[in-house]
Amino acid sequence: MSEFLETPDRQTLEAWDDKYVWHPFTPHSVYRSERPLTVVGGEGNYLIDIDGNRYLDGVASIWCNTFGHRRPEIDAAVRAQLDKIAHATMLGNATVPSILLAKRMVEIAPQGLDKVFFSDNGSTASEIALKMAYQYMQQRENPSPKKTKFLALANAYNGDTIGAVSVGGVDVFHDRFRPMLFDVIRAPSPYAFRCAACGIDGPTQIGRQCGGGCTDAIERLMREHAEELVAVIIEPGFQGAGGMITYPDGYFKKLRALCDELDILLIFDEVAVGMGRSGHMFAAQKEGVTPDLLCLAKMLTGGYLPVAATMSSDKIYEAFLGKPEEARTFYHGHTFTGNPLGCAAALAVLDIFQKEDVLAEVRRKIDILNEGLTGLVGLKHVGDVRTYGLAAGIELVAEDGFSAFESSERRGMKVCAHAREKGVFLRPLGDVIILMPPLSITDDEIHTLIEAVRYGIETEFGA
Ligand SMILES: *Cc1c(COP(=O)(O)O)cnc(C)c1O
């Protein structure tokens, strides 16, 4: 056996990790001191590190693990596909799992999303939606060549490629690149806890609603720019990477009505919330709104393999038809678009949703999570607790109950490090502690998660 088939010891791996690997979203000057896990295995809702410790995967391996690690049905589906073929192209060509998956997805999606365009990650899923929408406006029956702009929100996150970064609104990630990005009409974030439009008042509470300033602002901007707007791109349910920020009730119905009235397309980036997180298969269904384009990725394959999808209406698809020489074709595609192993995993995931009445269970667990979280409200350094579906953001603040910490204090990371002592793996967004467990989390594990966060906060701030 080659030496490379054996796992070197922990010290060697850490040394090689430091020497050879450049990690995503990771300041390497503090990486080692913040004691990263070296994961060697997984079992159900737990990660296993190189020392054999087990940690509840409280962020579903960055929001993508749906039904736990090494779920037998998904493992078996990937293995069975591996015995057929690992990959073949979808460019002008077909593969069996992608056909079967597209059919199933259209069957469960909101009515009116009729076609599935596959890619391989959330960033591409949103890039594709932007490019489709743009090209659609140029070649639909009554073309609108003046429509060249997008509207997106402050605190939006749609991925890390340049188009996705252009519509992105998280300053710390995106500002650096502004000179190389396209211009976007920017509407305010529905960030009620720190909202300039609405002001701040009242005690901390779960589900604090904003005063409607952000809704008025987006309407004003859409009316003002309707002639040049291709689409609004938005994360329904919550702005995820922006800090788990939720919207006022009725926001999406209002947005849909405005889009219809003003001839603007509506793009839902459901990369984080899609596939059951909301207690519905898609947040679109929970909100009772059908977008023109819908982006999926993270949980689509159970968090196993990179497959993403951009779903569109037949109306949009049909605008791309014509003779090849008319060049109406959508010239976009990735080498690993619709990878068969990933599509096989996604089919197994959809089977589990169907067989186990997962969504009803998720809704029940959402209630347990929300009830448990009330126990964190009122802790001195908890400024705000925001939830949507089986997900929560707990915003840490200074003594006064509102001021943010200096980012150099890395309070969020420290609270998560303490939580790890209680056997829970978490990764914060700045000083917002994120809970985004696999949908398969048990009731007891939900309590473990919340208690680990409480312990982390009390340890970091001295109760
Ligand atoms: C994670 C995420 C993306 C980007 O997905 P990647 O697979 O990391 O490229 C896009 N949109 C939303 C809402 C996300 O949460």
Side-chain angles (χ1 to χ4, degrees):
M1 197 165 31
S2 150
E3 62 175 304
F4 294 108
L5 291 178
E6 286 169 32
T7 306
D9 64 20
R10 177 202 171 124
Q11 266 187 319
T12 308
L13 282 169
E14 288 184 355
W16 290 352
D17 185 19
D18 289 338
K19 187 162 189 304
Y20 298 115
V21 184
W22 189 344
H23 289 262
F25 281 100
T26 301
H28 272 274
S29 59
V30 295
Y31 168 65
R32 186 57 58 196
S33 70
E34 292 182 339
R35 302 204 293 121
L37 292 185
T38 300
V39 172
V40 296
E43 195 180 332
N45 300 327
Y46 293 83
L47 298 167
I48 302 166
D49 77 2
I50 192 157
D51 299 319
N53 299 312
R54 292 160 59 89
Y55 300 97
L56 180 60
D57 190 354
V59 288
S61 293
I62 300 298
W63 316 1
C64 68
N65 187 281
T66 318
F67 296 127
H69 301 279
R70 292 178 55 218
R71 174 87 187 207
E73 300 95 309
I74 308 174
D75 290 8
V78 174
R79 287 201 180 98
Q81 180 58 38
L82 198 49
D83 283 336
K84 294 174 184 145
I85 189 168
H87 185 69
T89 186
M90 283 182 66
L91 276 59
N93 198 55
T95 54
V96 176
S98 61
I99 297 171
L100 300 179
L101 180 58
K103 175 171 185 290
R104 292 279 292 277
M105 288 172 68
V106 169
E107 284 164 3
I108 60 171
Q111 276 255 311
L113 292 170
D114 312 296
K115 289 286 189 291
V116 183
F117 190 99
F118 287 110
S119 61
D120 50 22
N121 64 74
S123 307
T124 56
S126 47
E127 294 267 344
I128 287 162
L130 295 170
K131 285 174 73 180
M132 269 180 184
Y134 184 94
Q135 190 173 340
Y136 166 77
M137 285 300 187
Q138 293 182 11
Q139 58 190 39
R140 64 177 177 180
E141 211 168 316
N142 297 302
S144 307
K146 277 200 286 187
K147 283 186 177 282
T148 57
K149 291 226 163 128
F150 292 89
L151 184 145
L153 303 193
N155 288 321
Y157 180 82
N158 306 97
D160 291 335
T161 51
I162 291 303
V165 169
S166 294
V167 289
V170 183
D171 292 347
V172 55
F173 302 160
H174 302 145
D175 264 7
R176 158 103 43 210
F177 299 103
R178 288 288 164 223
M180 66 190 286
L181 307 177
F182 59 74
D183 262 352
V184 162
I185 312 291
R186 188 69 63 188
S189 167
Y191 189 9
F193 186 59
R194 301 183 190 281
C195 179
C198 305
I200 307 302
D201 52 18
T204 298
Q205 58 186 70
I206 286 189
R208 186 207 304 256
Q209 295 284 323
C210 76
C214 57
T215 320
D216 296 343
I218 197 172
E219 173 168 3
R220 186 174 46 72
L221 287 166
M222 286 171 74
R223 291 191 184 285
E224 202 176 305
H225 295 280
E227 286 205 352
E228 52 179 342
L229 276 175
V230 172
V232 173
I233 180 165
I234 195 161
E235 297 155 85
F238 55 82
Q239 293 191 297
M244 190 60 218
I245 295 164
T246 52
Y247 298 82
D249 289 339
Y251 188 95
F252 294 99
K253 283 220 161 90
K254 176 99 192 255
L255 195 54
R256 178 73 270 182
L258 282 167
C259 284
D260 289 341
E261 181 195 334
L262 301 170
D263 184 27
I264 298 167
L265 294 175
L266 181 58
I267 302 171
F268 273 4
D269 177 351
E270 293 217 22
V271 169
V273 76
M275 303 302 292
R277 176 80 52 203
S278 67
H280 297 254
M281 193 56 94
F282 304 116
Q285 291 156 329
K286 179 174 162 66
E287 301 297 335
V289 166
T290 303
D292 300 287
L293 293 153
L294 184 146
C295 309
L296 289 172
K298 290 190 169 89
M299 299 213 296
L300 180 58
T301 65
Y304 269 56
L305 285 154
V307 172
T310 307
M311 302 189 70
S312 96
S313 62
D314 274 333
K315 181 183 80 175
I316 291 176
Y317 171 81
E318 278 156 15
F320 289 75
L321 301 178
K323 295 196 185 102
E325 57 272 26
E326 290 175 56
R328 300 168 71 86
T329 302
F330 189 52
Y331 286 115
H332 186 117
H334 301 278
T335 308
F336 288 101
T337 284
N339 173 261
L341 292 173
C343 289
L347 283 164
V349 166
L350 292 182
D351 281 344
I352 295 170
F353 269 106
Q354 205 168 32
K355 264 189 264 167
E356 298 191 358
D357 202 6
V358 171
L359 295 174
E361 265 295 286
V362 171
R363 280 179 227 152
R364 196 185 57 74
K365 291 175 194 176
I366 290 168
D367 291 341
I368 292 173
L369 176 68
N370 287 344
E371 202 184 302
L373 285 169
T374 57
L376 299 182
V377 176
L379 291 184
K380 198 199 286 171
H381 290 276
V382 171
D384 198 20
V385 178
R386 301 183 282 272
T387 72
Y388 184 90
L390 199 63
I394 298 138
E395 183 159 344
L396 305 174
V397 292
E399 280 305 286
D400 65 1
F402 183 70
S403 303
F405 292 108
E406 289 297 324
S407 67
S408 59
E409 294 182 45
R410 297 187 71 76
R411 296 288 191 162
M413 282 300 274
K414 286 175 181 161
V415 166
C416 292
H418 298 306
R420 192 161 332 151
E421 293 166 31
K422 294 288 176 191
V424 170
F425 176 76
L426 293 170
R427 179 173 167 83
L429 283 161
D431 287 337
V432 181
I433 307 301
I434 300 293
L435 305 183
M436 193 83 70
L439 304 186
S440 52
I441 192 168
T442 66
D443 298 6
D444 280 351
E445 288 163 352
I446 292 173
H447 293 301
T448 302
L449 200 56
I450 294 167
E451 283 315 303
V453 172
R454 172 198 296 284
Y455 172 83
I457 292 170
E458 289 178 350
T459 308
E460 177 61 19
F461 299 106

